């Protein structure tokens, strides 16, 4: 079974595309382990990667 997730690459600190600092943003349904998030950030190869999780 494939467990897919979506990660967005955004241009932080910019009001135009392809300007500013590239950053990864992933919205999670539930918190994941710190190791998993660090591995995902390394895989994205961006200087900044953020993980957001909405608690219900």
């Amino acid at each position: 079974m494939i467990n897919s997730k979506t990660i967005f690459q955004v241009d932080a600190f910019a009001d135009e595309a392809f300007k500013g600092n590239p950053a990864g943003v992933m919205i999670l349904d539930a918190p994941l382990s710190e190791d998993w998030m660090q591995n995902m950030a390394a895989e994205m190869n961006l200087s900044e990667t953020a993980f957001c999780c909405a608690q219900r």
Side-chain angles (χ1 to χ4, degrees):
M1 179 163 106
I2 296 174
N3 186 3
S4 65
K5 306 230 181 297
T6 301
I7 191 161
F8 300 92
Q9 184 169 333
V10 300
D11 295 318
F13 310 114
D15 56 4
E16 295 180 49
F18 311 112
K19 304 285 184 183
N21 298 342
V25 177
M26 181 177 280
I27 301 170
L28 304 173
D29 294 328
L32 296 174
S33 74
E34 187 173 322
D35 285 340
W36 188 93
M37 291 187 289
Q38 288 177 344
N39 287 331
M40 178 57 74
E43 180 76 14
M44 292 306 301
N45 197 29
L46 297 169
S47 61
E48 301 296 335
T49 303
F51 298 90
C52 304
C53 181
Q55 298 292 326
R56 294 178 187 180

